[in-house]
Amino acid sequence: MIAAAVDYLVVPKRLTPGWETVLSKRSIAATYVALALGLAAGGLVAQEMRKGK
């Protein structure tokens, strides 16, 4: 959810992704949740691969 905070609270409005013009807030939230889960899963896989060596 850090990505969402950066995209919508830190970055100036003219540089935001612009998804809010075509997607619902629920869809945007689901996208950021999926992004977070994917990054976490990738981190876990990478960690396990390092342990295996």
Side-chain angles (χ1 to χ4, degrees):
M1 299 319 296
I2 293 172
V6 170
D7 282 348
Y8 290 100
L9 300 175
V10 176
V11 175
K13 179 81 172 147
R14 63 186 171 87
L15 298 176
T16 59
W19 292 356
E20 68 278 358
T21 61
V22 293
L23 296 175
S24 67
K25 287 184 181 193
R26 186 178 210 163
S27 295
I28 293 170
T31 300
Y32 279 108
V33 168
L35 174 67
L37 291 174
L39 289 172
L44 290 173
V45 168
Q47 185 177 24
E48 287 299 317
M49 289 178 70
R50 275 189 245 121
K51 283 183 184 177
K53 287 189 173 184

